[in-house]
Amino acid sequence: MLDYADFYRIADCANMNWKGGFAPIEIAENAYNYLCEFQSSKEKGEPNDTIKYLLTNLDEDIANGEDLEDIRYWTTEIRKELGLNEPII
């Protein structure tokens, strides 16, 4: 089950890979926002636009050979908890 710490690591990875240039407090805020959007998606039974966008970007990182182990774990867990299928990459 994903928690704030997972979404903090996702936000930190996103900041580095997507050249966000965010300060640590902004990374923490992004992590909190991702967590809230994820929880909202779980309640609704489908991913909202923020989670869709996050998954798309993480999938692109996988396709580009970025830090695969963590990113694959996050995308797999997000999809599993939301009842989504894995993409074909």
Side-chain angles (χ1 to χ4, degrees):
M1 178 175 216
L2 296 172
D3 59 15
Y4 175 79
D6 292 302
F7 284 98
Y8 185 90
R9 289 189 290 277
I10 291 170
D12 188 44
C13 177
N15 186 53
M16 290 184 297
N17 291 349
W18 309 335
K19 299 178 184 17
F22 293 111
I25 188 69
E26 293 170 308
I27 294 170
E29 290 169 351
N30 288 339
Y32 178 76
N33 290 335
Y34 285 145
L35 176 61
C36 290
E37 295 292 334
F38 176 69
Q39 290 170 334
S40 172
S41 293
K42 282 178 71 170
E43 289 172 11
K44 292 178 183 176
E46 63 181 333
N48 61 26
D49 289 342
T50 299
I51 297 302
K52 288 178 187 176
Y53 182 74
L54 178 64
L55 285 170
T56 297
N57 287 335
L58 291 172
D59 289 339
E60 286 179 16
D61 287 348
I62 292 170
N64 293 330
E66 298 297 333
D67 187 13
L68 297 178
E69 187 175 332
D70 286 343
I71 296 171
R72 282 189 196 277
Y73 169 76
W74 297 324
T75 59
T76 299
E77 288 302 306
I78 289 170
R79 286 187 170 96
K80 183 168 48 172
E81 289 192 41
L82 294 178
L84 303 173
N85 294 323
E86 288 292 323
I88 299 172
I89 295 180

